[in-house]
Amino acid sequence: MSYSNLTLTTENDITTVVVDRPKKLNALNRKTLSEIHEAFVCLKDDEDTKLVILTGSGQKAFVAGADISEFADYSVAEGQDLSGTGHARVFDYIAHFPKPVIAAINGFALGGGLELAMAAHFRIASENAKLGLPETSLGVIPGYGGTQRLPQLVGKGRAMEMIMTAGMISAENALDYGLVNHVVTLDELLEYTEKIARKILNNSTVAVATAIETINAHFDKTKNGYETEIENFGKSFGTEDFKEGTTAFLEKRKPHFPGK
Ligand code: COA
């Protein structure tokens, strides 16, 4: 599959998805959003992909937001459709992706860009990163999950301040807020992210997928997270990975998970 605004590279079980519109600071226009959806649909069933790293091209931006030029003259109904479709096809899709998705934030992560990073399962930033939800400065609110995921990650007060001021915070601030897990130099960003990815890939892919689903249940008002945990914990006992993991421990060797 070839893409106009994305670059995909798969190596040793990891696919790196690069949003690649550097002249527009990787802003998410319709085409890019649609390509991100298509890419993730393919990666879901791709046996060579066990983990996804999401980043932006160039040294300046992860993603500088939704493409403002595209929605400047939208109506109320078009605005709702833009948000609803984006949630379903991209942002929720990534948040519930059964393989780990790590955002490597290499510069500006603003508006839809920060929302994309927040849809990923966790985030690592380079020192030059600047993060924010500037939508209120444009007369709108965040529409790709930002009003919900930001308070989940940083708490209500900080989210209120970030969204109401429309300001940007530094990578160090984002680390302090818990919005990103690590901050490294731009040169180290991908290597460091891959190092963490490798640690994840040593573990059972089935258990990791189940953990993503179960942690997400905490934030789903239609679910009881504890009940989901009890059910999914039980299901783990029926997997081949569980048999291998426990047998390997008892035999004092490294497990070779079949991923089933
Ligand atoms: N939508 C559409 N185009 C965007 C964009 C966005 N969100 N963010 C940047 N671009 C474009 C600029 O229009 C410019 O295009 P041009 O060269 O054809 O004029 C190009 O990317 C480079 O951006 P520029 O503003 O010249 O870079 P800068 O270094 O001066 O400023 C930012 C960088 C990120 C501070 C600035 O681009 C910005 O504020 N972007 C919008 C951020 C935003 O509000 N995002 C939320 C959208 S909901």
Side-chain angles (χ1 to χ4, degrees):
M1 187 107 191
S2 75
Y3 301 96
S4 318
N5 298 334
L6 296 184
T7 311
L8 269 69
T9 321
T10 301
E11 217 176 307
N12 299 329
D13 296 329
I14 299 173
T15 295
T16 304
V17 176
V18 182
V19 182
D20 194 9
R21 275 188 93 207
K23 286 190 182 143
K24 295 288 175 189
L25 302 187
N26 307 323
L28 300 173
N29 61 355
R30 258 180 250 125
K31 179 142 186 76
T32 309
L33 284 166
S34 158
E35 289 189 350
I36 294 174
H37 174 72
E38 284 165 32
F40 273 87
V41 168
C42 291
L43 295 176
K44 197 173 199 171
D45 296 325
D46 177 20
E47 288 185 2
D48 293 332
T49 300
K50 299 204 165 48
L51 184 147
V52 181
I53 295 174
L54 191 52
T55 192
S57 81
Q59 307 215 320
K60 192 167 169 185
F62 171 72
V63 167
D67 192 316
I68 299 167
S69 65
E70 278 192 349
F71 61 73
D73 59 357
Y74 269 17
S75 66
V76 170
E78 285 171 319
Q80 272 182 8
D81 181 64
L82 181 72
S83 174
T85 307
H87 274 267
R89 288 170 61 85
V90 176
F91 297 83
D92 283 351
Y93 197 82
I94 290 174
H96 294 280
F97 203 63
K99 301 174 183 182
V101 182
I102 310 174
I105 303 176
N106 57 311
F108 288 114
L110 302 174
L114 180 54
E115 289 171 304
L116 188 64
M118 291 194 294
H121 298 135
F122 62 91
R123 289 142 293 283
I124 298 167
S126 55
E127 288 166 344
N128 62 316
K130 294 248 183 283
L131 303 86
L133 292 179
E135 285 86 347
T136 59
S137 71
L138 297 165
V140 287
I141 64 164
Y144 288 144
T147 61
Q148 306 302 301
R149 291 197 179 99
L150 188 63
Q152 284 165 11
L153 287 163
V154 306
K156 184 177 169 184
R158 285 166 167 169
M160 286 281 190
E161 183 180 340
M162 282 180 69
I163 291 172
M164 290 194 281
T165 62
M168 295 182 208
I169 62 169
S170 66
E172 277 307 318
N173 247 180
L175 182 65
D176 181 46
Y177 279 16
L179 185 51
V180 302
N181 292 10
H182 308 275
V183 176
V184 294
T185 65
L186 185 57
D187 283 349
E188 288 170 322
L189 181 64
L190 284 183
E191 199 182 316
Y192 190 85
T193 307
E194 278 169 28
K195 216 159 111 185
I196 295 181
R198 292 272 152 236
K199 284 190 187 173
I200 297 173
L201 292 173
N202 284 336
N203 302 322
S204 155
T205 51
V206 183
V208 167
T210 309
I212 293 169
E213 183 193 322
T214 311
I215 293 167
N216 277 335
H218 173 74
F219 302 100
D220 182 339
K221 291 192 173 67
T222 67
K223 289 185 179 146
N224 178 315
Y226 289 100
E227 281 171 12
T228 305
E229 183 183 272
I230 292 165
E231 193 182 322
N232 284 347
F233 178 74
K235 277 188 194 160
S236 302
F237 285 72
T239 67
E240 291 181 30
D241 278 10
F242 169 73
K243 302 246 172 329
E244 169 60 10
T246 46
T247 305
F249 178 82
L250 295 171
E251 291 175 356
K252 299 191 188 305
R253 62 170 173 82
K254 279 196 166 179
H256 302 286
F257 291 113
K260 292 181 203 162

